[in-house]
């Protein structure tokens, strides 16, 4: 709980929301060398990096676009009785500086940044970046103990390799995370999987490891509440990561992404699924694959930050109870 106005976002009642320097949700910028870094409970982080992209690039521009769109977010959740920026000390922790010319070096830099976040007891909410971003983040968050994961996506991202044995792309992060012991496969649920496939190899891996895949056909047939009740059951009360690929949402609502797939949830269902995470033990979350070069209306970034606001509220929890320090 924080009543300290330092951690409150700039209100649109004081400074019009189109004015000022756009941090995430108009929060204070508190980078790791800032005197108040240790006081932050939930930190919003940009990872402007898309070197794992195998087809249409652009998510490296995501954080800047997401920050701009996030000036639309207000202080109170419209459905739950939550004022997240008063329930927890939130701040924009800035961007991780990647090395766009070197994937391994970039991942090392990202993990080092998140090591500082974990050491300070901050729970990170990341704006990507392509989906390979999740792997170096999990290397910091899942180091002590494998995490559960609720994963929204059109794709499993469980492939072994691309281009003749290359192991690090945005199609492989969760295969690596399971192999590295960062995720407990029995506590992973992947929701919204669809589209034409290369082959069945990712599904075979999921089946062998006990990962639960809920394909889009099942999602639409059962509905949000039923599917999410099962998802909560799978991850349980232990520490859980939430990874949200914007291509989970139908491209009618989220065209600004590199690998869209037809037949997905609408923009309301995109928010509903996150609301169903309320009460889980969420140690971190990300929203990835917003690609501004393909987002000509800016609507995908706006949906992306609205999902981030829902994720933030789910991390804060009901009743304005701070789970942090
Ligand atoms: Mn993905
Ligand atoms: Mn995807």
């Amino acid at each position: 709980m924080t009543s300290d106005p330092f951690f409150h976002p700039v209100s649109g009642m004081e400074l019009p929301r189109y004015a000022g320097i756009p941090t995430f949700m108009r929060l204070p910028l508190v980078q790791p060398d800032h005197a108040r870094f240790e006081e932050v409970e939930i930190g919003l982080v940009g990872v402007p990096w898309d070197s794992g992209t195998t087809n249409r690039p652009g998510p490296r521009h995501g954080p800047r676009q997401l920050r701009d769109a996030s000036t639309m977010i207000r202080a109170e959740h419209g459905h739950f009785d939550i004022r997240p920026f008063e329930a927890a000390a939130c701040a924009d922790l800035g961007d991780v500086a990647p090395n766009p010319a070197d994937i391994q070096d970039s991942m090392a830099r990202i993990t080092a940044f998140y090591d500082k976040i974990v050491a300070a007891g901050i729970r990170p909410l990341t704006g990507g970046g392509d989906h390979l971003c999740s792997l170096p983040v999990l290397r910091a968050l899942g180091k002590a103990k494998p995490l559960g994961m609720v994963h929204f996506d059109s794709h499993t991202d469980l492939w072994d390799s691309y281009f003749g044995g290359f192991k690090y792309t945005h199609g492989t992060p969760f295969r690596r995370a399971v192999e590295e012991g960062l995720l407990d496969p029995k506590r992973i649920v992947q929701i919204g999987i669809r589209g034409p496939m290369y082959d069945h190899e990712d599904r075979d891996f999921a089946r062998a490891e006990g990962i639960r895949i809920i394909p889009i056909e099942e999602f639409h047939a059962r509905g949000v509440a039923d599917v999410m009740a099962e998802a909560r059951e799978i991850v349980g009360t232990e520490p859980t990561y939430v990874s949200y690929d914007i291509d989970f949402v139908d491209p009618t609502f989220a065209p600004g992404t590199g690998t869209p797939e037809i037949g997905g949830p609408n923009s309301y269902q995109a928010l509903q699924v996150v609301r169903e995470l309320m009460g889980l033990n969420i140690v971190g979350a990300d929203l990835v694959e917003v690609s501004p070069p393909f987002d000509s209306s800016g609507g995908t970034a706006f949906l992306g930050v609205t999902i981030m606001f829902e994720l933030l509220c789910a991390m804060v929890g009901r009743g304005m109870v701070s789970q942090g320090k």
Side-chain angles (χ1 to χ4, degrees), residues 242-257:
V242 182
S243 193
Y244 201 126
D245 185 326
I246 195 71
D247 73 31
F248 168 71
V249 188
D250 192 84
T252 307
F253 304 92
T257 192

Side-chain angles (χ1 to χ4, degrees), residues 130-132 134 151-157 170-174 243-248 259 288-289:
D130 72 37
H131 223 151
L132 186 56
S134 302
H151 173 203
F152 303 103
D153 206 321
S154 288
H155 314 98
T156 63
D157 298 348
H170 67 162
T172 67
F174 302 122
S243 193
Y244 201 126
D245 185 326
I246 195 71
D247 73 31
F248 168 71
T259 325
V288 297
E289 298 285 357

Side-chain angles (χ1 to χ4, degrees), residues 106-275:
S106 290
M107 288 199 289
R109 291 171 187 226
I110 295 166
T111 302
F113 192 97
Y114 282 78
D115 280 342
K116 291 181 198 165
I117 291 172
V118 171
I122 300 169
R123 290 185 291 156
L125 172 56
T126 301
D130 72 37
H131 223 151
L132 186 56
C133 293
S134 302
L135 178 61
V137 171
L138 287 168
R139 283 175 175 167
L141 267 62
K143 198 175 282 175
K145 189 180 170 203
L147 303 171
M149 180 173 71
V150 181
H151 173 203
F152 303 103
D153 206 321
S154 288
H155 314 98
T156 63
D157 298 348
L158 290 173
W159 298 95
D160 179 55
S161 59
Y162 283 58
F163 314 127
F166 194 74
K167 299 260 185 185
Y168 299 97
T169 78
H170 67 162
T172 67
F174 302 122
R175 179 82 156 245
R176 297 292 91 77
V178 168
E179 290 171 352
E180 295 178 23
L182 309 171
L183 292 173
D184 174 0
K186 307 272 188 302
R187 295 182 54 236
I188 296 176
V189 55
Q190 303 187 302
I191 303 167
I193 308 305
R194 62 187 185 272
M197 293 147 55
Y198 290 115
D199 58 40
H200 237 273
E201 192 236 330
D202 60 333
R203 272 78 164 175
D204 294 343
F205 177 80
R207 199 171 303 116
E209 295 287 338
I211 294 170
R212 170 72 164 120
I213 293 176
I214 301 180
I216 198 65
E217 293 78 9
E218 188 178 341
F219 176 87
H220 286 306
R222 292 173 59 189
V224 168
D226 192 37
V227 162
M228 293 311 297
E230 184 188 347
R232 288 196 302 272
E233 188 85 6
I234 289 167
V235 297
T237 56
E238 292 293 300
T240 294
Y241 191 73
V242 182
S243 193
Y244 201 126
D245 185 326
I246 195 71
D247 73 31
F248 168 71
V249 188
D250 192 84
T252 307
F253 304 92
T257 192
T259 325
E261 305 289 354
I262 298 301
N266 63 32
S267 57
Y268 181 56
Q269 294 168 317
L271 307 183
Q272 276 187 305
V273 292
V274 182
R275 292 176 184 179

